[in-house]
Amino acid sequence: MGNIVMFTIFAAVIIVSALLCVTTTRIMRAATFMLFVLLGVAGLYFLLDYTYLGAAQIAVYAGGVMMIFVFAIQLVSKQTLQGIAERVKGSRMLRGALVSVIGLVVVSLVLLKTGFYTMAVSGEELPMKAIGKAMVGAGKYEYVLPFEFISVFLLACIIGGLVISRKEK
């Protein structure tokens, strides 16, 4: 019963923070709400007793949000940080909602096709060793190569941000 209550709390925090993140017009508030989303996901990992994934979520992703704070402060003037306001057109919002629904349908179909949903309903647990091997393995359906691409991409983004933020003499 306690796990269901905690899951409900984490889910509510994640959903509300995600909605506030994408609807706010201020960059610092959006980054703060994104931090709450990432911490909520880490809480879900801890709830599932995946302490390594929870700690990695906090260290890597929540730390990445702190980098967003730093770059937002460095790259944007103080007046802009005070009030960034972009008007959202109804057609843009409709397209975004349509893309979101299509993404939900695709994810649902993938979950149903792989049998993940039936495994979750039956209470069958995936061992942590299998998850770890899938995350850092180099075989088919294993994810070490995408992780390496993402790390190189993030490094390029950091270097690009530093180059852009340098002041011209």
Side-chain angles (χ1 to χ4, degrees):
M1 181 66 181
N3 284 344
I4 294 173
V5 171
M6 289 304 296
F7 174 80
T8 306
I9 291 170
F10 283 133
V13 166
I14 291 169
I15 290 171
V16 169
S17 297
L19 287 174
L20 289 172
C21 178
V22 298
T23 57
T24 187
T25 58
R26 296 181 181 259
I27 190 169
M28 297 306 280
R29 287 183 186 168
T32 303
F33 290 132
M34 188 166 43
L35 178 65
F36 289 143
V37 169
L38 297 174
L39 290 175
V41 172
L44 288 178
Y45 285 140
F46 286 123
L47 188 64
L48 293 170
D49 288 332
Y50 291 152
T51 53
Y52 175 75
L53 289 177
Q57 175 79 15
I58 290 173
V60 174
Y61 295 110
V65 170
M66 289 297 127
M67 291 301 295
I68 290 174
F69 277 121
V70 170
F71 283 126
I73 291 168
Q74 284 182 348
L75 297 176
V76 181
S77 68
K78 185 176 180 181
Q79 293 81 15
T80 308
L81 280 178
Q82 302 269 330
I84 292 179
E86 178 185 338
R87 302 289 175 233
V88 180
K89 296 179 182 174
S91 62
R92 260 178 101 186
M93 190 168 290
L94 185 62
R95 279 186 284 173
L98 182 65
V99 168
S100 298
V101 169
I102 290 171
L104 177 66
V105 168
V106 168
V107 168
S108 299
L109 289 175
V110 167
L111 289 177
L112 288 174
K113 184 175 181 195
T114 59
F116 182 78
Y117 178 73
T118 56
M119 186 173 66
V121 170
S122 68
E124 182 182 334
E125 287 190 25
L126 195 60
M128 189 63 174
K129 186 174 184 178
I131 293 173
K133 183 167 178 357
M135 295 290 261
V136 296
K140 188 175 183 181
Y141 303 118
E142 294 177 344
Y143 297 102
V144 75
L145 192 59
F147 278 143
E148 291 301 322
F149 282 139
I150 289 171
S151 66
V152 170
F153 177 70
L154 290 175
L155 178 63
C157 289
I158 290 171
I159 292 171
L162 290 173
V163 167
I164 291 172
S165 68
R166 276 188 22 201
K167 302 231 187 268
E168 298 279 335
K169 289 184 180 179

Coordinates of all heavy atoms in Angstrom, one line a residue, residues 56-141:
A56 N 22.3 7.5 -10.5 CA 22.8 8.0 -11.8 C 21.9 9.0 -12.4 O 22.3 10.0 -13.0 CB 22.9 6.8 -12.8
Q57 N 20.6 8.8 -12.2 CA 19.6 9.8 -12.6 C 19.8 11.2 -11.9 O 19.8 12.2 -12.6 CB 18.2 9.4 -12.3 CG 17.1 10.3 -12.5 CD 16.7 10.4 -14.0 OE1 17.0 9.5 -14.8 NE2 15.9 11.4 -14.4
I58 N 20.1 11.2 -10.7 CA 20.4 12.4 -9.9 C 21.7 13.0 -10.4 O 21.8 14.2 -10.7 CB 20.4 12.2 -8.4 CG1 18.9 11.9 -8.0 CG2 20.9 13.4 -7.7 CD1 18.8 11.5 -6.5
A59 N 22.7 12.2 -10.5 CA 24.1 12.7 -10.8 C 24.2 13.2 -12.2 O 24.7 14.3 -12.5 CB 25.1 11.6 -10.6
V60 N 23.6 12.4 -13.2 CA 23.8 12.8 -14.6 C 22.7 13.8 -15.0 O 23.1 14.9 -15.5 CB 23.8 11.5 -15.5 CG1 23.8 11.9 -16.9 CG2 24.9 10.6 -15.1
Y61 N 21.5 13.4 -14.9 CA 20.4 14.3 -15.4 C 20.1 15.5 -14.6 O 20.0 16.6 -15.1 CB 19.2 13.5 -15.7 CG 19.4 12.4 -16.7 CD1 19.4 11.1 -16.4 CD2 19.6 12.8 -18.0 CE1 19.7 10.1 -17.4 CE2 19.9 11.8 -19.0 CZ 19.9 10.5 -18.7 OH 20.1 9.5 -19.6
A62 N 20.0 15.3 -13.3 CA 19.8 16.5 -12.4 C 21.0 17.4 -12.5 O 20.9 18.6 -12.4 CB 19.4 16.1 -11.0
G63 N 22.2 16.9 -12.5 CA 23.4 17.7 -12.7 C 23.4 18.4 -14.1 O 23.8 19.5 -14.2
G64 N 22.8 17.7 -15.1 CA 22.7 18.4 -16.4 C 21.7 19.6 -16.3 O 22.0 20.6 -17.0
V65 N 20.7 19.5 -15.5 CA 19.8 20.7 -15.3 C 20.6 21.8 -14.7 O 20.3 23.0 -15.0 CB 18.5 20.3 -14.6 CG1 17.7 21.5 -14.2 CG2 17.7 19.3 -15.4
M66 N 21.4 21.5 -13.8 CA 22.2 22.6 -13.2 C 23.1 23.2 -14.3 O 23.3 24.5 -14.2 CB 23.1 22.0 -12.1 CG 22.4 21.6 -10.8 SD 21.6 23.0 -10.1 CE 19.9 22.5 -10.0
M67 N 23.6 22.5 -15.2 CA 24.3 23.0 -16.3 C 23.4 24.0 -17.2 O 23.9 25.0 -17.7 CB 24.9 21.9 -17.2 CG 26.0 21.2 -16.6 SD 27.4 22.2 -16.0 CE 28.0 22.8 -17.6
I68 N 22.2 23.6 -17.3 CA 21.2 24.5 -18.0 C 21.1 25.8 -17.3 O 21.1 26.9 -17.9 CB 19.8 23.8 -18.2 CG1 19.9 22.6 -19.1 CG2 18.8 24.8 -18.6 CD1 18.6 21.8 -19.2
F69 N 21.0 25.8 -16.0 CA 21.0 27.0 -15.2 C 22.2 27.8 -15.5 O 22.1 29.0 -15.8 CB 21.0 26.7 -13.7 CG 19.6 26.4 -13.1 CD1 19.4 25.2 -12.5 CD2 18.6 27.3 -13.2 CE1 18.2 24.9 -12.0 CE2 17.3 27.0 -12.7 CZ 17.1 25.8 -12.1
V70 N 23.4 27.2 -15.5 CA 24.6 28.0 -15.7 C 24.6 28.6 -17.1 O 24.9 29.8 -17.3 CB 25.9 27.1 -15.5 CG1 27.1 27.7 -15.9 CG2 26.0 26.7 -14.0
F71 N 24.3 27.8 -18.1 CA 24.3 28.3 -19.5 C 23.2 29.3 -19.7 O 23.4 30.3 -20.4 CB 24.2 27.2 -20.5 CG 25.5 26.4 -20.7 CD1 25.5 25.0 -20.6 CD2 26.6 27.1 -21.0 CE1 26.7 24.4 -20.7 CE2 27.8 26.4 -21.2 CZ 27.9 25.0 -21.1
A72 N 22.1 29.2 -19.1 CA 21.0 30.2 -19.2 C 21.5 31.5 -18.6 O 21.2 32.6 -19.2 CB 19.8 29.7 -18.5
I73 N 22.2 31.5 -17.5 CA 22.6 32.7 -16.9 C 23.7 33.3 -17.8 O 23.8 34.5 -18.0 CB 23.1 32.4 -15.5 CG1 21.9 32.1 -14.6 CG2 23.8 33.7 -14.9 CD1 22.3 31.6 -13.3
Q74 N 24.6 32.5 -18.3 CA 25.8 33.0 -19.1 C 25.3 33.5 -20.5 O 25.8 34.5 -20.9 CB 26.8 31.9 -19.3 CG 27.6 31.6 -18.1 CD 28.7 30.6 -18.4 OE1 28.7 29.9 -19.4 NE2 29.6 30.4 -17.5
L75 N 24.4 32.8 -21.1 CA 24.1 33.1 -22.5 C 23.0 34.2 -22.7 O 22.9 34.7 -23.8 CB 23.7 31.8 -23.2 CG 24.8 30.7 -23.3 CD1 24.2 29.5 -24.0 CD2 26.0 31.2 -24.1
V76 N 22.3 34.4 -21.7 CA 21.1 35.3 -21.9 C 21.3 36.5 -20.9 O 21.7 36.3 -19.8 CB 19.8 34.5 -21.5 CG1 18.6 35.4 -21.7 CG2 19.7 33.3 -22.4
S77 N 20.9 37.6 -21.4 CA 21.1 38.8 -20.6 C 20.1 38.8 -19.5 O 19.1 38.1 -19.5 CB 20.9 40.1 -21.5 OG 19.5 40.1 -21.9
K78 N 20.4 39.7 -18.5 CA 19.5 39.7 -17.3 C 18.1 40.2 -17.6 O 17.2 39.7 -17.1 CB 20.2 40.7 -16.3 CG 19.4 40.7 -15.0 CD 20.1 41.6 -13.9 CE 19.3 41.6 -12.7 NZ 20.0 42.4 -11.6
Q79 N 18.0 41.1 -18.5 CA 16.7 41.6 -18.9 C 15.8 40.5 -19.6 O 14.6 40.4 -19.4 CB 16.8 42.8 -19.8 CG 17.3 44.1 -19.2 CD 18.9 44.1 -19.2 OE1 19.5 43.3 -19.9 NE2 19.4 44.9 -18.4
T80 N 16.5 39.7 -20.4 CA 15.8 38.6 -21.0 C 15.4 37.6 -20.0 O 14.3 37.0 -20.1 CB 16.7 38.0 -22.1 OG1 17.2 39.0 -22.9 CG2 15.9 37.0 -22.9
L81 N 16.2 37.3 -19.0 CA 15.9 36.3 -18.0 C 14.7 36.8 -17.2 O 13.9 35.9 -16.7 CB 17.0 36.0 -17.1 CG 18.1 35.0 -17.6 CD1 19.2 34.9 -16.6 CD2 17.5 33.7 -17.9
Q82 N 14.5 38.0 -17.0 CA 13.4 38.6 -16.2 C 12.1 38.2 -16.8 O 11.1 38.0 -16.1 CB 13.6 40.1 -16.1 CG 14.9 40.5 -15.5 CD 14.8 40.6 -14.0 OE1 13.8 40.9 -13.4 NE2 15.9 40.4 -13.3
G83 N 12.0 38.3 -18.1 CA 10.7 38.0 -18.7 C 10.8 37.6 -20.2 O 10.6 38.4 -21.1
I84 N 11.0 36.3 -20.5 CA 11.0 35.8 -21.8 C 9.5 35.5 -22.1 O 8.9 34.7 -21.4 CB 11.8 34.6 -22.0 CG1 13.3 34.9 -21.9 CG2 11.5 33.9 -23.3 CD1 14.2 33.8 -22.1
A85 N 8.9 36.1 -23.1 CA 7.5 35.8 -23.4 C 7.4 35.5 -24.9 O 7.7 36.3 -25.7 CB 6.7 37.0 -23.0
E86 N 7.0 34.3 -25.2 CA 6.7 33.9 -26.5 C 5.2 33.6 -26.7 O 4.7 32.8 -25.9 CB 7.6 32.7 -26.9 CG 7.3 32.2 -28.3 CD 8.1 31.0 -28.6 OE1 9.1 30.7 -28.0 OE2 7.7 30.3 -29.6
R87 N 4.6 34.1 -27.6 CA 3.2 33.8 -27.8 C 3.0 32.5 -28.5 O 3.7 32.3 -29.6 CB 2.5 35.0 -28.6 CG 2.6 36.3 -27.9 CD 1.8 36.4 -26.7 NE 2.0 37.7 -26.0 CZ 2.3 37.7 -24.7 NH1 2.5 36.7 -24.0 NH2 2.5 38.9 -24.1
V88 N 2.2 31.7 -28.0 CA 2.0 30.4 -28.6 C 0.7 30.4 -29.4 O -0.4 30.8 -28.9 CB 1.9 29.3 -27.6 CG1 1.7 27.9 -28.2 CG2 3.2 29.2 -26.7
K89 N 0.8 30.1 -30.7 CA -0.4 30.1 -31.6 C -1.1 28.8 -31.4 O -0.6 27.8 -31.0 CB 0.1 30.3 -33.0 CG 0.8 31.6 -33.3 CD 1.2 31.6 -34.8 CE 1.9 32.9 -35.1 NZ 2.5 32.9 -36.5
G90 N -2.4 28.9 -31.6 CA -3.3 27.8 -31.5 C -2.9 26.6 -32.4 O -3.0 25.5 -32.0
S91 N -2.5 27.0 -33.6 CA -2.1 25.9 -34.5 C -0.9 25.2 -34.1 O -0.7 24.0 -34.2 CB -1.9 26.5 -35.9 OG -0.8 27.4 -35.9
R92 N 0.1 25.9 -33.5 CA 1.3 25.3 -32.9 C 0.9 24.3 -31.8 O 1.5 23.2 -31.7 CB 2.3 26.3 -32.4 CG 3.4 26.6 -33.4 CD 4.3 27.7 -32.9 NE 5.5 27.1 -32.3 CZ 6.4 27.8 -31.7 NH1 6.2 29.1 -31.5 NH2 7.4 27.2 -31.2
M93 N 0.0 24.8 -30.9 CA -0.4 24.0 -29.8 C -1.1 22.7 -30.3 O -0.9 21.6 -29.8 CB -1.3 24.8 -28.8 CG -1.5 24.0 -27.5 SD -2.2 25.1 -26.3 CE -0.9 26.1 -25.9
L94 N -1.9 22.9 -31.3 CA -2.7 21.7 -31.9 C -1.7 20.7 -32.5 O -1.8 19.5 -32.3 CB -3.7 22.2 -32.9 CG -4.6 21.1 -33.5 CD1 -5.4 20.5 -32.4 CD2 -5.4 21.7 -34.6
R95 N -0.7 21.2 -33.2 CA 0.3 20.3 -33.8 C 1.1 19.6 -32.7 O 1.4 18.4 -32.8 CB 1.3 21.1 -34.7 CG 0.7 21.3 -36.1 CD 1.8 22.0 -36.9 NE 1.8 23.4 -36.5 CZ 2.7 24.2 -37.0 NH1 3.6 23.9 -37.8 NH2 2.7 25.5 -36.5
G96 N 1.4 20.3 -31.6 CA 2.1 19.7 -30.5 C 1.3 18.6 -29.8 O 1.8 17.5 -29.5
A97 N 0.0 18.9 -29.7 CA -0.9 17.9 -29.1 C -1.0 16.7 -30.0 O -1.0 15.5 -29.5 CB -2.2 18.5 -28.8
L98 N -1.1 16.9 -31.3 CA -1.2 15.8 -32.2 C 0.1 14.9 -32.2 O 0.0 13.7 -32.1 CB -1.4 16.3 -33.6 CG -1.6 15.3 -34.7 CD1 -2.9 14.5 -34.4 CD2 -1.7 15.9 -36.1
V99 N 1.2 15.5 -32.2 CA 2.5 14.8 -32.1 C 2.6 14.0 -30.8 O 3.0 12.9 -30.8 CB 3.7 15.8 -32.3 CG1 5.0 15.1 -31.9 CG2 3.7 16.3 -33.7
S100 N 2.1 14.6 -29.7 CA 2.1 13.9 -28.4 C 1.2 12.7 -28.4 O 1.6 11.6 -27.9 CB 1.7 14.9 -27.3 OG 2.6 16.0 -27.2
V101 N 0.1 12.8 -29.0 CA -0.9 11.7 -29.1 C -0.3 10.6 -29.9 O -0.3 9.4 -29.6 CB -2.3 12.1 -29.6 CG1 -3.1 10.9 -29.9 CG2 -2.9 13.0 -28.5
I102 N 0.3 11.0 -31.1 CA 1.0 10.0 -31.9 C 2.1 9.3 -31.2 O 2.2 8.0 -31.2 CB 1.5 10.6 -33.2 CG1 0.3 11.0 -34.1 CG2 2.4 9.7 -34.0 CD1 0.7 11.9 -35.3
G103 N 2.9 10.0 -30.4 CA 4.0 9.4 -29.6 C 3.4 8.5 -28.6 O 4.0 7.4 -28.4
L104 N 2.3 8.8 -27.9 CA 1.7 7.9 -26.9 C 1.2 6.6 -27.6 O 1.4 5.6 -27.0 CB 0.5 8.7 -26.2 CG -0.2 7.8 -25.2 CD1 0.6 7.5 -24.0 CD2 -1.5 8.6 -24.8
V105 N 0.6 6.7 -28.8 CA 0.1 5.5 -29.5 C 1.3 4.6 -29.8 O 1.3 3.4 -29.7 CB -0.7 5.9 -30.7 CG1 -1.0 4.8 -31.6 CG2 -2.0 6.6 -30.3
V106 N 2.4 5.2 -30.3 CA 3.6 4.4 -30.7 C 4.2 3.7 -29.5 O 4.5 2.5 -29.6 CB 4.6 5.3 -31.5 CG1 5.9 4.6 -31.6 CG2 4.1 5.8 -32.8
V107 N 4.3 4.5 -28.4 CA 4.9 3.8 -27.2 C 4.0 2.7 -26.7 O 4.5 1.7 -26.3 CB 5.2 4.9 -26.1 CG1 5.5 4.3 -24.8 CG2 6.3 5.8 -26.6
S108 N 2.7 3.0 -26.7 CA 1.8 1.9 -26.3 C 1.8 0.7 -27.1 O 1.8 -0.4 -26.6 CB 0.3 2.5 -26.3 OG 0.2 3.6 -25.4
L109 N 1.9 0.9 -28.5 CA 2.0 -0.3 -29.4 C 3.3 -1.0 -29.1 O 3.3 -2.3 -29.1 CB 1.9 0.2 -30.8 CG 0.5 0.6 -31.3 CD1 0.6 1.2 -32.7 CD2 -0.5 -0.5 -31.2
V110 N 4.4 -0.3 -28.9 CA 5.7 -1.0 -28.7 C 5.6 -1.8 -27.4 O 6.1 -2.9 -27.3 CB 6.8 0.0 -28.6 CG1 8.1 -0.6 -28.1 CG2 7.1 0.6 -30.0
L111 N 5.0 -1.2 -26.3 CA 4.9 -1.9 -25.0 C 4.0 -3.1 -25.2 O 4.3 -4.2 -24.6 CB 4.3 -1.0 -24.0 CG 5.3 0.1 -23.5 CD1 4.6 1.0 -22.5 CD2 6.6 -0.5 -22.9
L112 N 3.0 -3.0 -25.9 CA 2.1 -4.2 -26.1 C 2.8 -5.3 -26.9 O 2.6 -6.5 -26.6 CB 0.8 -3.8 -26.7 CG -0.2 -3.0 -25.8 CD1 -1.4 -2.5 -26.6 CD2 -0.6 -3.8 -24.6
K113 N 3.5 -4.9 -28.0 CA 4.1 -5.8 -28.8 C 5.3 -6.6 -28.1 O 5.5 -7.8 -28.3 CB 4.7 -5.1 -30.1 CG 5.3 -6.1 -31.1 CD 5.7 -5.4 -32.3 CE 6.2 -6.5 -33.2 NZ 7.0 -6.2 -34.3
T114 N 6.0 -5.9 -27.3 CA 7.1 -6.5 -26.6 C 6.7 -7.4 -25.4 O 7.5 -8.1 -24.9 CB 8.2 -5.5 -26.1 OG1 7.5 -4.6 -25.2 CG2 8.8 -4.8 -27.3
G115 N 5.4 -7.2 -25.0 CA 5.0 -8.0 -23.9 C 5.3 -7.4 -22.5 O 5.2 -8.0 -21.5
F116 N 5.8 -6.2 -22.5 CA 6.3 -5.5 -21.3 C 5.1 -5.3 -20.4 O 5.1 -5.5 -19.2 CB 6.9 -4.2 -21.6 CG 7.4 -3.5 -20.4 CD1 8.6 -3.9 -19.8 CD2 6.7 -2.4 -19.8 CE1 9.0 -3.2 -18.6 CE2 7.1 -1.8 -18.7 CZ 8.3 -2.2 -18.1
Y117 N 3.9 -4.9 -21.0 CA 2.7 -4.7 -20.2 C 2.3 -6.0 -19.5 O 1.9 -5.9 -18.3 CB 1.6 -4.1 -21.0 CG 0.4 -3.8 -20.3 CD1 0.3 -2.8 -19.4 CD2 -0.8 -4.6 -20.4 CE1 -0.9 -2.5 -18.7 CE2 -1.9 -4.4 -19.7 CZ -2.0 -3.4 -18.8 OH -3.1 -3.1 -18.1
T118 N 2.2 -7.1 -20.2 CA 1.8 -8.3 -19.6 C 2.7 -8.8 -18.5 O 2.3 -9.4 -17.5 CB 1.6 -9.4 -20.6 OG1 2.8 -9.6 -21.4 CG2 0.5 -9.0 -21.6
M119 N 4.0 -8.5 -18.7 CA 5.0 -8.9 -17.7 C 4.8 -8.0 -16.5 O 4.9 -8.5 -15.3 CB 6.4 -8.7 -18.3 CG 7.5 -9.2 -17.3 SD 9.2 -9.1 -18.1 CE 9.4 -7.4 -18.3
A120 N 4.5 -6.7 -16.6 CA 4.3 -5.9 -15.5 C 3.1 -6.2 -14.7 O 3.0 -6.2 -13.5 CB 4.3 -4.4 -15.9
V121 N 2.0 -6.6 -15.4 CA 0.8 -7.0 -14.8 C 0.9 -8.3 -14.0 O 0.4 -8.5 -12.9 CB -0.4 -7.1 -15.8 CG1 -1.6 -7.7 -15.2 CG2 -0.7 -5.7 -16.4
S122 N 1.7 -9.2 -14.6 CA 1.8 -10.5 -13.9 C 2.7 -10.5 -12.7 O 2.8 -11.4 -11.9 CB 2.4 -11.6 -14.9 OG 3.7 -11.2 -15.2
G123 N 3.4 -9.3 -12.5 CA 4.3 -9.2 -11.3 C 5.7 -9.8 -11.5 O 6.5 -9.8 -10.6
E124 N 6.0 -10.2 -12.7 CA 7.3 -10.8 -13.0 C 8.3 -9.6 -13.1 O 8.1 -8.6 -13.7 CB 7.3 -11.4 -14.4 CG 8.5 -12.1 -14.8 CD 8.4 -12.7 -16.2 OE1 7.3 -13.1 -16.6 OE2 9.4 -12.9 -16.9
E125 N 9.4 -9.8 -12.3 CA 10.5 -8.7 -12.3 C 11.6 -9.1 -13.2 O 12.0 -10.2 -13.3 CB 10.9 -8.6 -10.8 CG 9.9 -7.9 -9.9 CD 10.5 -7.5 -8.6 OE1 11.7 -7.3 -8.5 OE2 9.7 -7.4 -7.7
L126 N 12.2 -8.0 -13.7 CA 13.4 -8.2 -14.5 C 14.6 -8.0 -13.6 O 14.7 -7.0 -12.9 CB 13.4 -7.1 -15.6 CG 14.3 -7.2 -16.8 CD1 14.0 -8.5 -17.5 CD2 14.2 -6.1 -17.7
P127 N 15.5 -8.9 -13.6 CA 16.6 -8.8 -12.7 C 17.6 -7.6 -13.1 O 17.7 -7.3 -14.2 CB 17.4 -10.2 -12.9 CG 16.9 -10.7 -14.1 CD 15.6 -10.2 -14.4
M128 N 18.1 -7.1 -12.0 CA 19.0 -5.9 -12.2 C 20.2 -6.2 -13.1 O 20.7 -5.4 -13.9 CB 19.5 -5.4 -10.9 CG 20.1 -4.1 -10.9 SD 19.0 -2.8 -11.5 CE 19.9 -1.4 -11.3
K129 N 20.7 -7.5 -13.0 CA 21.8 -7.9 -13.9 C 21.5 -7.8 -15.3 O 22.3 -7.3 -16.2 CB 22.3 -9.3 -13.5 CG 23.5 -9.7 -14.2 CD 23.9 -11.1 -13.6 CE 25.2 -11.5 -14.2 NZ 25.7 -12.8 -13.7
A130 N 20.3 -8.2 -15.7 CA 19.8 -8.1 -17.1 C 19.7 -6.7 -17.6 O 20.1 -6.3 -18.7 CB 18.5 -8.9 -17.3
I131 N 19.2 -5.8 -16.7 CA 19.1 -4.4 -17.0 C 20.5 -3.8 -17.2 O 20.7 -3.1 -18.2 CB 18.3 -3.6 -16.0 CG1 16.8 -4.1 -15.9 CG2 18.4 -2.1 -16.2 CD1 16.0 -3.5 -14.8
G132 N 21.4 -4.1 -16.3 CA 22.8 -3.6 -16.4 C 23.4 -4.0 -17.7 O 24.1 -3.3 -18.4
K133 N 23.3 -5.3 -18.1 CA 23.9 -5.8 -19.3 C 23.3 -5.2 -20.5 O 24.0 -4.9 -21.5 CB 23.7 -7.4 -19.4 CG 24.4 -8.0 -20.6 CD 24.4 -9.5 -20.5 CE 25.1 -10.2 -21.6 NZ 25.5 -9.4 -22.7
A134 N 22.0 -4.9 -20.5 CA 21.3 -4.3 -21.6 C 21.8 -2.8 -21.8 O 21.9 -2.3 -22.9 CB 19.8 -4.3 -21.5
M135 N 22.1 -2.2 -20.6 CA 22.5 -0.8 -20.7 C 23.9 -0.6 -21.2 O 24.2 0.3 -22.0 CB 22.4 -0.1 -19.3 CG 21.0 -0.1 -18.8 SD 20.0 1.1 -19.6 CE 20.1 2.5 -18.5
V136 N 24.8 -1.5 -20.8 CA 26.2 -1.3 -21.2 C 26.8 -2.3 -22.1 O 28.0 -2.4 -22.4 CB 27.1 -1.1 -19.9 CG1 26.8 0.1 -19.1 CG2 27.1 -2.4 -19.1
G137 N 25.9 -3.2 -22.6 CA 26.4 -4.3 -23.5 C 26.5 -3.7 -24.9 O 26.0 -2.7 -25.3
A138 N 27.3 -4.5 -25.7 CA 27.6 -4.0 -27.1 C 26.9 -4.9 -28.1 O 27.0 -4.7 -29.3 CB 29.1 -4.0 -27.3
G139 N 26.0 -5.8 -27.7 CA 25.4 -6.7 -28.6 C 24.1 -6.1 -29.2 O 23.8 -4.9 -29.0
K140 N 23.3 -7.0 -29.8 CA 22.0 -6.6 -30.4 C 21.1 -6.2 -29.3 O 21.0 -6.9 -28.2 CB 21.4 -7.7 -31.2 CG 20.2 -7.3 -32.0 CD 19.8 -8.5 -32.9 CE 18.6 -8.0 -33.8 NZ 18.1 -9.1 -34.6
Y141 N 20.3 -5.1 -29.4 CA 19.4 -4.6 -28.4 C 20.1 -4.2 -27.1 O 19.5 -4.2 -26.1 CB 18.3 -5.5 -28.1 CG 17.5 -5.9 -29.3 CD1 17.4 -7.3 -29.7 CD2 16.8 -5.0 -30.1 CE1 16.7 -7.6 -30.9 CE2 16.1 -5.3 -31.2 CZ 16.1 -6.7 -31.6 OH 15.4 -7.0 -32.7

